[in-house]
Amino acid sequence: MADLSQVFAAAGSLLSTKQLKDTTLMTGGDNDPNPVKLSAEKALPFTLPDVTFNINASAELDVMLFNQATDNDPDGVIGTQDAIIAPDTATDAYLKYAAGITVSATAGVNIPIASIGFDEKLSVSGNAAAAYYKQHNNGDAMNTAFVGDIKAIKTVFIPDDITSLAEGDALTFSVNGSLKSDLKVSWSNIFSQSLSVLGEYLPTPVTLDLSLSPSVSVEFIVEVTDAFALVIKKLAGNQCLLSVKKTKSVSTDTTASAGIDISFKDSDAAKTQLTAIYNQLIQSVFGNSITDVNTALANVKSGIAIATQNELVNGLIARYNLGGVADAIDQLIAKVNAIEQYVPNLIGDVATATVKLNFSYEYKRIDLEKDVLSVNIATTDLLNYHDKLLRFDITQLLSDMRGGVIPYQLNSYLNQKTLTITSTWGLGLTVFSFTLLGQDIFTLENVVNENFAGAQQVSTEGTQQYKWVFGNGSGSWLSQINGQMPAYGASTLDQFDFTFLLSTALKNNGVNADELNTYFDFAVVWDAVQQSDLGALTVKYTTGTSSILNQPATIENKLTFLPALMKPLIEKIATTGWVNNIPYLTKAMSAALP
């Protein structure tokens, strides 16, 4: 804790002997402002081994009183219902102490702050702030409460301050900077949305039969550039509520919008997984390994091929529509070489692009002042991550939570109640659940974020869904349209990117042969399976160890209309009406099919 009584002198209503519950105290306005602003008479550093957090000599301390349910906290920590702090104003009042902060390397550490995990912007005033929320009995006198607090101010920067924090009190650190997180997503969920991107290099039409269990997952590092607040509130039993939440920018930069970067967390492990997926992909497309395909091509070209190699190459010539072409073998070799050259990396690119898109949808659906992560954790465990948390890096915390290293109670992560995404429903990271599918729903949700200048960035999402019964199963049909503004500005139609999704999901508690054939027929209609492959697929999934007969199964179909397709369509509908544009929608649906 720090004694700030020699840095900030009491003024105005802070000298009052009125009780904190007095509603005539700090009512706002020029005569009795709330907050009261105190100017620092000297600088005050909070020094850690490698980094120092500074209240500069020019800084102001805002002291704000909350003694009524209607009092508004600009940082959204205090409020009603789902707020981190919801005071019982019949007995309690809160004083909030907030000051601007700059960050610098500790004396003797002669490296840029970016090299120790902090955004360079934090070295400049106006990009970071810290606050202390102190609970009081509302019968306490204002001057007594203030003097007691100012002599023992706690900050989130000092571990001992977190340990000694009283139950119900909270500490915050707000920045314009980067939040580093991680996301664990199953490969099956990634490729259920994006395999069609590989079509440029593969023979078409083609059936892609990949065995990717939802338990086979990959972790991504997600770095988001935006405005965030780290909040730690002390709970009973020496537990803490840890929240990392979106907040309004504390900067004067009026143009910045959230930026999102995605990369594999463990590149070596991802490379191993990508190689295995690539090998499955090649086996599915060619019925042979890439080595066997190349050997057959070389032998056919040299005139020494055996019968099975000639059969393989002739089949590929037919699939690539090269029959009768004079240099068919050379063109086929070039196409296979292109697959070897581009597809392994493309699979990784598709994965990161898909996860980035999904994360972006979900992140933009999080309201201002709402949690990106909210978790209850023991104070002693939290302190093990203190150094990383100050850098807004929650990757190790999430990894240890997933791995069972520490006990915790997850309140939410990216609007979800889970740390691992195995199957999603809709355009973002909404976790697939048949409890959701058991009802007819219609929702329209708008999320509006504001920057310092008051410009808005809007995300709007409409979802319509109904349940249905089909044979031995039940499921739902969902349509979802999402409009997002890429940047802050005026929320006019031309500023939005639109995406439209049609999706069906069926849960079958025990698949029989007739039902499996029905599903395959439906896949043929959607052009996901080729008619010529039905025989082999039927044998594979009805015999041997890969049989799914009498096993529970989930069957999903997803059709996505991307912004490049939707924007001109939406603009045309807005101009001439829905009925007149049904033919255009029909053509758009046809173009979007694989």
Side-chain angles (χ1 to χ4, degrees):
M1 67 184 69
D3 183 354
L4 301 190
S5 60
Q6 302 303 309
V7 179
F8 297 100
S13 293
L14 302 180
L15 299 170
S16 173
T17 58
K18 291 181 179 179
Q19 293 181 327
L20 293 174
K21 64 183 175 183
D22 193 326
T23 57
T24 66
L25 185 64
M26 295 175 66
T27 55
D30 294 337
N31 295 327
D32 195 12
N34 190 15
V36 174
K37 294 183 177 294
L38 305 178
S39 296
E41 298 179 3
K42 62 180 180 178
L44 178 69
F46 299 91
T47 303
L48 299 180
D50 59 347
V51 62
T52 298
F53 301 91
N54 307 283
I55 296 178
N56 296 323
S58 58
E60 288 184 332
L61 178 71
D62 288 355
V63 184
M64 195 168 189
L65 170 66
F66 300 89
N67 62 3
Q68 300 181 74
T70 55
D71 288 340
N72 178 50
D73 180 7
D75 292 327
V77 175
I78 286 184
T80 57
Q81 296 179 332
D82 297 330
I84 293 173
I85 297 175
D88 180 357
T89 54
T91 58
D92 300 329
Y94 272 84
L95 288 173
K96 172 187 174 183
Y97 301 85
I101 296 289
T102 59
V103 180
S104 61
T106 295
V109 181
N110 298 316
I111 57 176
I113 64 170
S115 299
I116 53 176
F118 291 90
D119 195 302
E120 290 284 0
K121 291 186 296 185
L122 303 187
S123 63
V124 180
S125 296
N127 284 307
Y132 173 37
Y133 291 80
K134 178 60 183 171
Q135 184 180 28
H136 289 276
N137 184 302
N138 64 8
D140 293 345
M142 167 58 83
N143 59 347
T144 303
F146 172 77
V147 170
D149 292 347
I150 202 70
K151 290 184 176 181
I153 289 288
K154 299 181 187 295
T155 75
V156 74
F157 311 122
I158 308 301
D160 286 347
D161 284 355
I162 298 172
T163 301
S164 62
L165 194 65
E167 183 180 334
D169 291 354
L171 303 169
T172 73
F173 180 36
S174 303
V175 302
N176 293 315
S178 297
L179 169 68
K180 185 175 286 188
S181 179
D182 82 344
L183 196 61
K184 190 173 185 179
V185 187
S186 73
W187 280 108
S188 62
N189 188 66
I190 292 170
F191 286 119
S192 69
Q193 304 175 63
S194 55
L195 269 178
S196 59
V197 177
L198 302 176
E200 178 182 352
Y201 297 99
L202 303 179
T204 55
V206 65
T207 299
L208 295 177
D209 178 21
L210 305 182
S211 298
L212 296 171
S213 165
S215 63
V216 180
S217 302
V218 62
E219 288 190 72
F220 296 87
I221 293 292
V222 182
E223 189 161 357
V224 186
T225 303
D226 204 354
F228 302 101
L230 170 68
V231 184
I232 297 173
K233 175 190 173 184
K234 184 60 72 72
L235 305 175
N238 203 25
Q239 296 276 311
C240 287
L241 168 63
L242 169 65
S243 167
V244 179
K245 67 191 190 76
K246 290 172 66 173
T247 188
K248 186 178 291 188
S249 172
V250 295
S251 171
T252 57
D253 183 354
T254 61
T255 60
S257 181
I260 297 172
D261 290 317
I262 302 281
S263 60
F264 289 113
K265 184 175 183 179
D266 185 333
S267 57
D268 291 336
K271 185 176 181 180
T272 299
Q273 291 180 315
L274 289 168
T275 300
I277 292 169
Y278 170 70
N279 290 336
Q280 276 200 56
L281 182 71
I282 294 300
Q283 189 69 37
S284 175
V285 173
F286 297 134
N288 292 270
S289 69
I290 194 68
T291 301
D292 291 341
V293 171
N294 283 328
T295 300
L297 288 170
N299 287 348
V300 168
K301 185 170 183 178
S302 301
I304 59 173
I306 61 176
T308 54
Q309 291 174 333
N310 280 317
E311 182 181 355
L312 170 59
V313 171
N314 288 333
L316 293 179
I317 287 174
R319 296 189 70 176
Y320 276 104
N321 297 315
L322 295 174
V325 177
D327 60 345
I329 291 296
D330 290 334
Q331 288 195 36
L332 187 56
I333 289 173
K335 290 181 181 296
V336 172
N337 287 341
I339 290 175
E340 289 188 275
Q341 181 178 356
Y342 296 112
V343 169
N345 290 333
L346 184 58
I347 294 173
D349 293 342
V350 165
T352 53
T354 300
V355 171
K356 181 175 181 177
L357 180 63
N358 288 349
F359 183 93
S360 298
Y361 277 125
E362 205 63 54
Y363 181 77
K364 289 180 180 179
R365 290 179 61 244
I366 301 175
D367 282 298
L368 202 66
E369 311 302 349
K370 296 298 183 182
D371 302 307
V372 175
L373 170 69
S374 175
V375 61
N376 295 355
I377 184 175
T379 304
T380 51
D381 289 333
L382 183 149
L383 293 177
N384 292 328
Y385 305 95
H386 179 254
D387 189 60
K388 293 283 190 181
L389 291 173
L390 291 180
R391 290 159 169 79
F392 285 82
D393 183 347
I394 58 175
T395 54
Q396 189 61 50
L397 172 62
L398 290 172
S399 180
D400 288 351
M401 288 166 61
R402 286 196 191 98
V405 176
I406 56 171
Y408 65 92
Q409 177 187 324
L410 181 66
N411 301 314
S412 67
Y413 179 48
L414 294 171
N415 280 328
Q416 309 305 319
K417 297 290 186 181
T418 181
L419 294 175
T420 300
I421 308 298
T422 56
S423 186
T424 58
W425 184 238
L427 291 165
L429 295 171
T430 302
V431 173
F432 180 92
S433 169
F434 271 98
T435 57
L436 169 65
L437 303 187
Q439 55 185 323
D440 294 337
I441 61 171
F442 177 80
T443 62
L444 183 61
E445 179 182 6
N446 294 315
V447 175
V448 181
N449 288 315
E450 279 190 7
N451 65 7
F452 185 87
Q456 294 185 336
Q457 186 178 39
V458 180
S459 172
T460 182
E461 184 172 277
T463 301
Q464 187 160 11
Q465 172 183 287
Y466 64 87
K467 59 187 177 182
W468 50 278
V469 177
F470 180 78
N472 188 37
S474 61
S476 285
W477 177 286
L478 172 138
S479 63
Q480 188 175 70
I481 187 166
N482 180 283
Q484 294 195 7
M485 294 175 62
Y488 289 97
S491 53
T492 54
L493 185 64
D494 60 340
Q495 297 300 308
F496 283 83
D497 288 336
F498 293 95
T499 305
F500 183 51
L501 171 73
L502 290 175
S503 180
T504 66
L506 166 68
K507 182 179 182 181
N508 191 320
N509 295 317
V511 178
N512 62 42
D514 289 339
E515 290 167 339
L516 183 59
N517 287 330
T518 300
Y519 303 149
F520 283 153
D521 289 342
F522 195 56
V524 170
V525 172
W526 281 62
D527 211 18
V529 169
Q530 301 310 302
Q531 184 79 36
S532 58
D533 296 320
L534 284 181
L537 288 173
T538 300
V539 171
K540 176 178 179 179
Y541 288 107
T542 58
T543 61
T545 57
S546 58
S547 172
I548 62 171
L549 293 181
N550 303 314
Q551 299 295 317
T554 300
I555 299 90
E556 293 183 73
N557 300 281
K558 294 184 178 181
L559 179 62
T560 305
F561 304 81
L562 296 175
L565 187 70
M566 286 298 297
K567 192 162 189 174
L569 181 63
I570 292 290
E571 290 173 345
K572 190 167 182 60
I573 290 172
T575 303
T576 60
W578 172 258
V579 174
N580 294 331
N581 282 281
I582 290 178
Y584 292 98
L585 179 59
T586 304
K587 291 179 181 179
M589 292 178 67
S590 177
L593 283 167

